[in-house]
């Protein structure tokens, strides 16, 4: 799933290529992906891109009509299998809408196509059998409930030590769950929560109530440093290269069985129903392996 660093890179990539461009076509291929009906998708045609933004893991293209105050937003979330595919010369063949919400195998399928007045454009595609990519056409990003209810952005000035401490002390929960809670901190998912916890030398199952003030500060530092480093590693890369750049940058996530780059211990995994996490026992759990079962607990 694209997380904050990749979404930030995609936003910058699209901003560089779409700014000032006029939309000449916007066609939905996967009807289930379009979550709104008013304004209609066709209302984007003949509008000019006037800005791009990121809200957590959501991408936002602002498009103005003849009246500069008449702005609509194309807001979308790529979910687990979605991606942005850019073309300097976008296909002009008609897009055939289909209902399919599931099935279709692992191959990426077209969900939405947008073309611009210079012939360029982008496709939103989604791989996998579960189609969860979400597209909204709205007058304000806050019209999307999932955007309106996002927590603090960890790379913003609002992510102060005081705000972070209040989130940690708000309730006693597993720290990985807090990092992934989009209502608390916006933009962090499974991969970067693993990376942050490795950098902070903290178990993913540690309870926030057990953390000292120094632990809380150190975890915040790890959040900021990890995400900033990942954003820098992704900066300036075309959309097609971002997935590989992310994989190369990760130290523990997706590296089960490989040596930890910090201590040399073997990176281990805990599997759940539809996801998994990776960690280093030496760096994070005092050398104790976590039980690899769905209701994981530290082996005592």
């Amino acid at each position: 799933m694209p997380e904050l660093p990749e979404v930030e890179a995609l936003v910058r990539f699209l901003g560089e290529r779409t700014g000032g461009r006029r939309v000449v076509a916007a066609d939905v291929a996967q009807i289930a992906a379009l979550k709104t009906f008013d304004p209609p998708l066709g209302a984007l045609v003949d509008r000019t891109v006037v800005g791009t933004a990121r809200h957590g893991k959501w991408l936002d293209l602002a498009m103005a009509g003849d009246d500069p105050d008449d702005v609509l937003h194309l807001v979308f979330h790529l979910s687990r299998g979605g991606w942005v595919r850019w073309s300097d010369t976008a296909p002009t063949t008609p897009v055939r809408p289909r209902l399919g919400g599931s099935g279709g195998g692992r191959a990426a399928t077209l969900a939405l196509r947008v073309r611009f007045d210079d012939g360029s454009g982008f496709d939103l595609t989604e791989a996998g059998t579960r189609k969860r990519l979400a597209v909204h056409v709205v007058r304000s990003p806050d019209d999307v409930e999932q955007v309106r209810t996002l927590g603090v952005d960890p790379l913003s000035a609002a992510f102060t030590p005081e705000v972070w401490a209040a989130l940690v002390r708000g309730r006693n929960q597993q720290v990985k769950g807090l990092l992934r809670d989009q209502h608390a901190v916006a933009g962090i998912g499974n991969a970067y929560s693993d990376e942050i916890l490795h950098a902070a030398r903290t178990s993913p199952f540690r309870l926030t109530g057990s953390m000292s003030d120094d632990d809380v500060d150190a975890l915040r530092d790890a959040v900021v440093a990890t995400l900033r480093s990942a954003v820098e590693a992704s900066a300036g890369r075309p959309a097609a290269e971002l997935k590989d750049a992310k994989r190369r940058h990760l130290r523990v996530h997706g590296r089960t069985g490989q040596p930890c780059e910090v201590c040399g211990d073997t990176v281990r995994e805990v599997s759940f129903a539809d996801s998994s996490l990776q960690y280093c026992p030496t760096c994070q759990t005092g050398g104790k392996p976590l039980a690899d079962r769905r209701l994981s607990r530290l082996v005592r």
Side-chain angles (χ1 to χ4, degrees), residues 105-149:
R106 300 297 304 174
T109 57
L110 178 66
L112 181 79
R113 174 168 292 157
V114 177
R115 289 193 293 114
F116 299 100
D117 54 359
D118 65 345
S120 66
F122 66 87
D123 290 348
L124 298 186
T125 63
E126 187 170 19
T129 58
R130 296 183 179 182
K131 304 303 182 185
R132 296 177 177 175
L133 186 147
V135 177
H136 299 251
V137 179
V138 291
R139 295 176 177 83
S140 166
D142 282 346
D143 291 341
V144 181
E145 181 181 2
Q146 297 95 322
V147 172
R148 184 176 65 254
T149 58

Side-chain angles (χ1 to χ4, degrees), residues 199-251:
R201 304 180 72 85
T202 299
S203 167
F205 298 135
R206 184 176 183 180
L207 294 176
T208 55
S210 72
M211 299 176 68
S212 69
D213 290 345
D214 287 344
D215 293 334
V216 173
D217 290 341
L219 184 56
R220 178 186 175 276
D221 291 343
V223 169
V224 175
T226 299
L227 295 178
R228 282 182 176 169
S229 176
V231 168
E232 290 173 3
S234 299
R237 294 183 180 274
E241 296 180 6
L242 289 174
K243 292 182 181 180
D244 287 339
K246 176 181 180 178
R247 294 188 189 99
R248 289 194 298 270
H249 193 72
L250 299 177
R251 288 189 165 189

Side-chain angles (χ1 to χ4, degrees), residues 20-58:
R21 298 261 63 92
R22 181 174 56 85
V23 176
V24 297
D27 300 302
V28 64
Q30 192 76 252
I31 293 175
L34 184 60
K35 307 303 182 182
T36 54
F37 63 90
D38 181 26
L41 181 64
L44 299 179
V45 175
D46 287 332
R47 289 177 176 267
T48 300
V49 178
V50 294
T52 55
R54 176 184 58 79
H55 313 286
K57 301 177 193 176
W58 293 78

Side-chain angles (χ1 to χ4, degrees), residues 166-190:
L167 290 171
V168 174
R169 302 304 185 198
R171 62 179 181 178
N172 193 24
Q173 65 181 115
Q174 290 179 346
V175 65
K176 183 175 172 73
L178 172 63
L179 289 171
R180 295 187 63 186
D181 183 353
Q182 299 305 297
H183 299 297
V185 184
I188 301 171
N190 194 31

